[in-house]
Amino acid sequence: MNPDTKAPNQPFKEPNIPQKFLKPYDPATTEDAIYQGWIDSGYFNPDNLPERHKVPFSIVLPPPNVTGILHMGSAFMVAIEDVMVRYARMKGFKTLWIPGTDHAAIATQSKVETEIYKKEGKRRHDLGREELLRRINEFASQSHDSIVHQLKKIGASLDWSREAYTLDNKRNFAVRTAFKKMYDDGIIYRGYRVVNWDPKGQTTISDDEIVYTEGKGKFYTFKYSKDFPISIATTRPETKVGDTGVAVHPDDPRYKALIGKEYDIDFAGEKIHVKIVGDMEVNPEFGTGAVGVTPAHSHVDYEIARRHDLPIVPVINEYAKMSVASSLLAGKKTTEAREIVVAWLKEQGLLEKEEEIPQNLSTAERTGGIVEPLPKLQWFVNVNKKIADRGNRTLKELMLDAVRKDGIKIIPENFERVYLHWIENLRDWCISRQIWFGHRIPVWYKTDVSGKEEIFCGLEAPSGDDWKQDEDTLDTWFSSGLWTFSTLGWPEETSDFKTYHPTTVLETGYDILPFWVARMILMSQYILGTIPFNTVYFHGIVRDEQGRKISKSLGNNIDPVDMAAKYGADAVRMGLIIGTGPGNDSKIGESKIKGYKNFANKVWNITRFVLSSTEGLSVDKSFAAWSEKDTALTIELDALMAEITKEMDEYKLYLVGEKLYHYVWHNFADAILEESKAVFASGTEAERLSRQQFLLHTLERTLRALHPFMPFVTEEIWKDMPVPGKLPLIIETWPS
RNA sequence: GCGCCUUUAGCUCAGUUGGUAGAGCAGCUCAUUUACACUGAGAAGGUCGGGGGUUCAAGUCCCUCAAGGCGCACCA
């Protein structure tokens, strides 16, 4: 012993309690070791849980996209789920929480392509399929590693031994199996239809991947030619060279007599052939009451053309340029062509009216490209086909029944209506994408000697050399739709699959209700004939302190890991959870998180007080000599525990967190601890003993109740709690 | 156009079968070698968006209006 080292001068006469409690709680030096301890214990894996954990509880982590790092929104999600999971584990469920990441096809590929183009000036075809995929996979793997690191920092008790990736081999096998089943059942079909084409990303996208932005457009009223009997109106004059019909309401007295007539017209340098048709969908009140039908470049017009057998004439190509022959328009961008056509109309004296109107612009969610409707040969999922072994119900009906009849419970309830409303508007789902990063479509083609194309769909390539696999990949949500069961080993009949499916709860953001939640229900209902989860819990969007969306351009992002490093993961979790009910957006700022760091320290100091005033004692479960006052306090605490247990079962985590915070700080610390000082100073021997036991019991119970919310500080304190026969807190029982 | 949500203290939000308005933060006034300053005590602060109805009783149920936010669809 160095003689210079003196015992530190303590203001408070410290008994022999662990040294660590003499300093403020420091999350930075404890959290990593605690997490490692949990990993080493193996308790994240339900196979390692003790005997009492029998009834399964399962939940999948909504797999973060491998497009970068986690933001506050993901931390929010992880915090909520970890509370659910830790609660279930303490309640004695055989608890499984499966981690994973999502390859996020278009999002990831376009991000990497943009980077490469910025740095090297190269585009996808300059690199080739193999090299581009190598680069994307490299990027995805880095993102994956930082995401995993972040999840651990927040304290997520995920079973890492079961980690999955939407694009790994097992999930690829699941995708192929699902695709083949749907193909064989005629649910998946290939069709030439107008789809949403993203000229920037050079791929089709689904209806849900379109973002509408408000803008202004010009609305032109004109005639095709001087001799044409009807004026039409449009915001896109350049597409009119692709018109093959004019639709009017069948009962419109102005036009009724013209229905069925056909015209050959010279229009802006193109020869077009137009037939007048009567269609109920046309609103006689709008515009001139007549629609110029451009089947190739409008979803609505395409439907009209189908009903009246009008030909489809594409006039715009994949690069949003005119594909017509005339020197006037050939090769022009659509925006240039529009001006040329308008000028031509003016010159010919055909333009009757030009007015400004508000108009929504359709852009691709991931690339920002302006979506161009184009006719293309693509793969679709038919949502209206009756399925024999699902009681002759369609996919739409299966999706509706999942919530209406088959018992999926949605929290908060009002999202049930949002879900049903979305499904009622659902059209066939275009699942093929012209990008390279994703699950390749398991279909092969061969052209025989007579020039006829053969199609083969299978789990593996067919034998023979002349088969060529479809170049396209699948929409990323196709593989995510299988997530609740592909992560459990399906299509193999694994014991995980049999034990944990349907999963207990799905917790996710309401913003991906249509993309993901609906598709998981679709896939599970169709493929397995069961719902994928019993309960859906939706959380909202995390906003900044002023209520603005977190965005790069605003620079208002707060990194959850930075916050955890500064204030502790427990504080970040509490800040995210408290004050936010399901389905509500939440506001998070540094000050809120800071407040809960103080709370963690409060719990720490309560422990210091309790341990130092109960030295030599341990929690005595059989203690019965309670004072009158302590009996009353115990009854009060019993009531609180019963109340929060009920609320936990109803997923009202935000209430429980707040109530525990309030009880621990303002009842236990401010009132009970203060009063105890008097008891210890002047109470009788029996009163003192009763109070000592009460403090120990109460601390012990509140630590257990707080554990799901603040796992790190509670586990750290628990190590020094005088509780006979204690287990690690993570597998201790929930207090009742 | 169809639909959903929100409106309660300065700010953020609780308030679950209708029964006297709640918490946190901020602000204000005190306390100051205390288990803890990452502290404690206290006071102040609301005609629960407006109007109407049901009821013995409405923040809560019904109708209506207003403001704000969001989703879906989109008419050429």
Side-chain angles (χ1 to χ4, degrees), chain A residues 238-242 294 296-297 313-317 321-324:
Chain A
E238 75 280 9
T239 64
K240 298 289 105 182
V241 294
T294 322
H297 301 293
V313 181
V315 294
I316 296 169
N317 66 19
K321 288 184 176 165
M322 303 304 291
S323 60
V324 294

Side-chain angles (χ1 to χ4, degrees), chain A residues 71-78 80 365 411-412 415 507-515 537-552 554 556-558 575-589 592:
Chain A
H71 45 274
M72 258 312 168
S74 330
F76 181 38
M77 169 180 97
V78 172
I80 296 172
E365 184 193 26
I411 301 172
F415 278 95
E507 196 286 331
T508 193
Y510 65 71
D511 49 330
I512 55 171
L513 186 157
F515 295 103
Y537 180 105
F538 284 114
H539 64 253
I541 296 167
V542 176
R543 296 167 182 276
D544 71 3
E545 270 170 322
Q546 284 112 59
R548 300 174 304 180
K549 260 193 177 175
I550 308 284
S551 75
K552 269 188 197 146
L554 282 172
N556 58 351
N557 183 45
I558 315 174
L576 287 165
I577 286 170
I578 291 181
T580 309
N584 287 340
D585 291 354
S586 56
K587 300 187 173 80
I588 187 81
K592 195 173 176 191

Side-chain angles (χ1 to χ4, degrees), chain A residues 55 95 190 195 241 300 328 334 377 456 464 505 530 588 660 698 706 725:
Chain A
V55 181
T95 306
R190 195 181 186 215
V195 294
V241 294
V300 178
L328 202 59
T334 52
L377 189 58
F456 174 87
V505 57
T530 62
I588 187 81
L660 284 170
T698 303
L706 275 173

